[in-house]
Amino acid sequence: MPTLFKRSNGILYYIQTDDAGKRRWISTDQRTRQLANTFVLQRQNKQAFNIQGFRLESFIKEFISYASSIYSAETVGGLKKQRKK
């Protein structure tokens, strides 16, 4: 769980670190720790879902649209069939 801290304006923030080690301050827009913790948990669950569920699918869609511009219709049709399996 990220550490929450309160700035002088009374809003709670947390620090998110990415894979490269870069830190970002994220505002929870909340003034109580309970609501801020709820916000952080919801955000982390949403990010985990996005990473696990949609990365490959979005790549496939982009690749097929790219492939349709450079490959024949038969080749793209074969890629689409493989995707549906």
Side-chain angles (χ1 to χ4, degrees):
M1 183 83 176
T3 304
L4 292 170
F5 60 95
K6 190 179 279 194
R7 294 193 53 193
S8 61
N9 62 3
I11 302 293
L12 287 154
Y13 287 75
Y14 74 98
I15 297 177
Q16 178 180 359
T17 307
D18 64 7
D19 296 335
K22 185 175 180 180
R23 296 185 302 165
R24 292 181 49 208
W25 286 23
I26 311 254
S27 171
T28 62
D29 294 325
Q30 303 297 328
R31 294 185 184 272
T32 64
R33 286 201 180 270
Q34 183 179 9
L35 293 174
N37 280 329
T38 304
F39 172 85
V40 171
L41 287 174
Q42 288 174 348
R43 185 173 171 104
Q44 287 179 337
N45 290 339
K46 183 178 178 183
Q47 287 176 345
F49 179 73
N50 287 341
I51 289 171
Q52 293 172 358
F54 294 106
R55 245 162 87 183
L56 182 61
E57 185 64 28
S58 64
F59 169 77
I60 291 171
K61 285 180 183 178
E62 285 184 39
F63 180 76
I64 288 178
S65 68
Y66 167 73
S68 64
S69 67
I70 62 170
Y71 295 123
S72 69
E74 289 180 19
T75 303
V76 174
L79 291 172
K80 287 180 180 178
K81 286 181 184 176
Q82 289 296 323
R83 178 178 165 219
K84 291 180 183 178
K85 286 185 179 180

